[in-house]
Amino acid sequence: MTHLVTALMAEALATKLADALMEGEHHLDVAAAGAFEQAPPDWRFEAWFEAAPDGGEWTATVRRLLGPAADDVRFEHRTVDGTDWVAKSLDDLPPVRAGRFVVHGAHDRAKVRPNEIGVEIEASMAFGTGHHATTAGCLRALDLWAKRARASHRKGPRRRSPVMLDVGTGTGVLAIAAAKAARLRAVAGDNDREAVRIARENAKAAGVAGLVTVVEAAGTRHAAIRARAPYGLVVANILMGPLIAIAGELAAVTRPRGTLILSGLLAWQARAVEAAYLARGFRRVRRILIGDWATLELSAASPQARRG
Ligand SMILES: C[S@@+](CC[C@H](N)C(=O)[O-])C[C@H]1O[C@@H](n2cnc3c(N)ncnc32)[C@H](O)[C@@H]1O
């Protein structure tokens, strides 16, 4: 059984509460939390627990995180069957548009317009339905990258299309999106076995199983990841700590002048992560801010700069 807490509230409150719960600024055992746009002006807040939280602790935590505004919000608690809560939650989620990508569930397949790239992700316990600002930030950066790659492909001599590495793939959303946009080969790793299973299923359903290889790996530690290095495009949407910890690993597998897209960062954390990568010869190309979350696009040093 799973316990679900929902409430309608203003966007600022819903995102603040969901972010604080996901950041761990509390003692509650939250499995997932999110804020989703509804009919204006409401946003729907959701928090998922494996077991119902203690009522007193929930109220005190929300009061501490939201202040007096919490008193005006009516939270609904219910227990849902563990086998179908995921599907129920996806039914509530509208498709998400980021760049040319539209991440959607099967029930919204018809909403993808002809000039858009649909990425169908089924509801699952893995992270990556496109509704989080970090996934959306990475999708925007990927879209810009894919457009640039197409333009330089048209101008220059035929180059082998770069292989992508997706570290912390979750549902596989970013690798699937890139494979669909640029027909490139991708290796996608996650240190969570269930995410690996789900990403493989999603890649198959999207018709890109032949392009996306999914492996269970922490960081770049897998023979299949090392074998295909260096990569022209590396994406990692994990958190600040792991991103800094694996900066050396990611630098080692990124091709000179290759693109590195990093997310999972609150805006104030982006500088520290940037510093760790600038020290390894990367330069910042852009920073995408969505709400409180940052996505960084970095470019690896040229071969000359690496030698010097
Ligand atoms: C925030 S989710 C991102 C999912 C997806 N890439 C997206 O953008 O929506 C982070 C994922 O990274 C995985 N992860 C966290 N640390 C990792 C690490 N050091 N190596 C590999 N995977 C990791 C988690 O299991 C989770 O599935």
Side-chain angles (χ1 to χ4, degrees), residues 127-128 135 166-171 173-174 189-192 195 217-219 237-238 242:
F127 185 106
T135 312
D166 179 13
V167 177
T169 197
T171 58
V173 56
L174 302 178
D190 203 291
N191 59 5
D192 178 306
N237 179 8
I238 50 180

Side-chain angles (χ1 to χ4, degrees), residues 21-47:
L21 290 175
M22 290 306 283
E23 285 299 301
E25 299 166 18
H26 55 82
H27 299 291
L28 296 164
D29 201 6
V30 183
F36 309 107
E37 200 169 358
Q38 303 289 294
D42 283 329
W43 277 55
R44 176 181 162 92
F45 163 84
E46 284 185 7

